[in-house]
Amino acid sequence: MTNEVVIDVQQKDISIALLEDKKLVEYQKEPIGESFAVGNIYIAKVKKLLPGLNACFVDVGYEREAFLHYLDLGGQFNSFAKYLKQVQSDRKKLYPFAKANRQPELTKDGSIQTTLAQGQEVLVQIVKEPISTKGPRLTGEISFAGRYLVLVPFGDKVSVSSKIKSGEERARLKQLIHSIKPKNCGVIVRTVAEGKRVADLDAELKVLNKRWEDAITKIQKTQQRPQLVYEETGRAIALLRDLFNPSFTSIHVNSEETYDEVRNYLTLIAPEKADIVKLYTGKLPIFDNFDVTKQIKSGFGRIVNYKHGAYLIIEHTEALHVVDVNSGNRTRNNNGQEANALEVNLGAADELARQLRLRDMGGIIVVDFIDMNLAEDRQKLYERMCENMKQDRARHNILPLSKFGLMQITRQRVRPAMDVQVEEECPTCFGSGKIKSSILFTDQLEGKIDRLVNKIGIKKFSLHVHPYVAAYINQGVFSLKRRWQLKYGMGLRIIPSQKMAFLQYEFYDSKKQFIDMKEEIETK
């Protein structure tokens, strides 16, 4: 299996696609500068206590207050609270973390009212991004994740991933980490640390400890509350940190800045793989070039087609996700209805496992498979689903089919499900249902180009249009494009883009910055 990562950095957002054997399996898109991401750490204020829920609302600067339950405060909450007071008592000299005294652990049967007070400052970390009408979910158990290790301030033990089976290797890693870990810190050893040298682990431990020291320094020197004191690495780096393995063949990036970030990160964790990072400089949009746009358009939406005319219908609700499996107009199996149902269901299990990763669907997922009479067929379908989900990094549980032919799946939910709208409001009529005659579209474009060159003064730019329109503009020896270049200068480039609707267009300057040339009045 070949794994490729394609990173599309635009002016307002960054999109990341993971391809396995050229097939899109994970897709993430977020606005550039998006805050309130999982892993971010804040020094914040308690806004309101909720004794009935044994929880509180905390102001972290989001439009909705974040939720913090008593049981999420963590056993070392008292240690953090005392150390925060010591740090903020002297704005000039930082109180050393190594000298901090551990306080008695927080009891699990305590009350939020006796532990926190309204207006109290707390150090919290986001464990779940804002979803729908809910604010972020918080924890008081602070940790800093790296590729091989997780540093836990005020932790008291070294834990090794249960996926490392060798008793000898587990003992080696425990002994090694005990000898190099900072005072007052616990460490979790991740699965990928198996077989790694002490130099690699020590280097990462120092980086993680430096992040904790920088966060504490920021708390000491700033008085603004709430305050972001540690920001999780960019989504591109975070994805690579969790996903990267030696089977990666290439990472394509269309931004020099992000290219440098990714390459520098790979140089740290896998120097021999640094050369697989490639800067994309082609004329076509990067997602079009790697056939990602088409897969996004076909992979999202309410109806998803898969093998031989069968399809899934996926509905998202506040409480759960519902998936219906339909055989559609596929050719019937010669072995009868039971064999046909099994074949459709097995194909649905393959596609559904991909969809869960692709959309990052979390919470409860209920799947209505086609009814099967034979117990061995139902077992075969359950085993196929379990096997497919082994590739999924999110924690999940799968139950065998119920008497009604329903399969219930729970999957870890830390951020909103990706819901790419493939049905769009018409960008040329703005929803009015009326547009100028299509034959006049190129005249409209020429008017925009004339205004751009002769009135605004931008001489070098690219015009992104639907591939059919681009083909029309480029056709012939003395093409429309050539006539425009002779009239307005050779700085004009025509770029076919699959994400454009038929009569949609976008202008970009030489630095790939979007130029807004749309006027709603042009449709009237």
Side-chain angles (χ1 to χ4, degrees), residues 185-250:
C185 286
V187 176
I188 300 169
V189 182
R190 305 183 77 174
T191 310
V192 287
E194 188 171 8
K196 294 298 175 186
R197 298 175 304 133
V198 62
D200 296 331
L201 302 179
D202 186 44
E204 182 167 271
L205 202 54
K206 284 177 179 171
V207 170
L208 298 177
N209 195 44
K210 178 72 165 57
R211 289 177 186 171
W212 167 233
E213 289 175 355
D214 290 346
I216 290 299
T217 304
K218 203 166 184 180
I219 292 171
Q220 181 211 12
K221 294 188 175 177
T222 59
Q223 295 184 337
Q224 178 188 340
R225 301 292 183 263
Q227 171 80 42
L228 175 66
V229 295
Y230 168 72
E231 188 168 13
E232 181 60 284
T233 50
R235 185 54 59 86
I237 302 299
L239 183 75
L240 285 177
R241 184 186 67 202
D242 297 334
L243 274 184
F244 184 79
N245 64 61
S247 70
F248 272 32
T249 54
S250 54

Side-chain angles (χ1 to χ4, degrees), residues 6 50 53 57 61-62 73 220 232 280 289 329 339 392 402 419 425 431 453 462 470:
V6 183
L50 306 169
L53 295 174
F57 284 131
Y62 186 65
L73 288 173
Q220 181 211 12
E232 181 60 284
Y280 177 77
N289 187 69
N329 59 359
D392 199 332
S402 70
D419 190 16
E425 183 182 272
V453 173
S462 58

Side-chain angles (χ1 to χ4, degrees), residues 309-375:
Y311 60 93
L312 305 177
I313 296 178
I314 302 175
E315 298 278 6
H316 305 278
T317 73
E318 184 73 18
L320 45 76
H321 306 280
V322 184
V323 182
D324 186 33
V325 179
N326 290 277
S327 58
N329 59 359
R330 73 184 303 282
T331 307
R332 302 297 172 190
N333 192 302
N334 294 329
N335 296 326
Q337 172 60 27
E338 186 71 17
N340 185 67
L342 177 62
E343 192 176 339
V344 172
N345 285 340
L346 291 178
D350 296 341
E351 181 60 30
L352 179 60
R354 171 176 169 258
Q355 286 291 327
L356 294 181
R357 291 174 67 189
L358 186 57
R359 301 178 187 228
D360 203 6
M361 290 159 62
I364 301 171
I365 301 108
V366 178
V367 191
D368 181 13
F369 285 102
I370 295 172
D371 291 341
M372 295 182 294
N373 296 321
L374 299 177

Side-chain angles (χ1 to χ4, degrees), residues 465-491:
V465 289
H466 189 278
Y468 288 175
V469 176
Y472 175 76
I473 292 172
N474 287 317
Q475 72 173 349
V477 178
F478 195 56
S479 64
L480 195 55
K481 172 189 170 184
R482 180 63 60 202
R483 296 205 296 272
W484 286 349
Q485 286 180 330
L486 290 173
K487 191 173 180 181
Y488 301 108
M490 301 303 286

